[in-house]
Amino acid sequence: IRDVSGSVRRVDLGTGVISTFALGSEVGNFASFAFSSSGFVYTASDTRISRWDPVSRAVVVIAGTGESGFSGD
């Protein structure tokens, strides 16, 4: 769940406990996100797809440059 502050909350369906997974400043401005079975969080904005590692807090750009427009491909 992403709340109005931009933070991502995780809901444990077994216990019903809601916890903060990441603060909005950590994951940036994105339109959607998905969790992988390996624990990574994939985020998508208008111009970029990134993989976020919640353990190391490292963000890796998977696709896109962050700039809108035609790139000639």
Side-chain angles (χ1 to χ4, degrees), residues 4-5 8 14 16 21 25 28 30-31 34 36 39-41 43 49 52-55 57 62 64 72:
V4 295
S5 70
V8 177
F21 185 77
S25 60
F30 56 86
S36 72
F40 293 116
V41 179
T43 62
I49 298 173
W52 185 71
D53 183 336
V55 175
R57 303 285 198 225
I62 303 297

Side-chain angles (χ1 to χ4, degrees), residues 1-69:
I1 300 170
R2 186 163 186 188
D3 65 18
V4 295
S5 70
S7 296
V8 177
R9 311 288 181 190
R10 180 173 51 196
V11 179
D12 184 317
L13 296 178
T15 64
V17 173
I18 299 172
S19 58
T20 300
F21 185 77
L23 300 175
S25 60
E26 293 178 304
V27 293
N29 186 22
F30 56 86
S32 60
F33 63 93
F35 292 90
S36 72
S37 60
S38 58
F40 293 116
V41 179
Y42 290 86
T43 62
S45 69
D46 292 341
T47 59
R48 184 181 316 197
I49 298 173
S50 301
R51 182 183 73 205
W52 185 71
D53 183 336
V55 175
S56 69
R57 303 285 198 225
V59 177
V60 176
V61 174
I62 303 297
T65 63
E67 299 292 326
S68 61

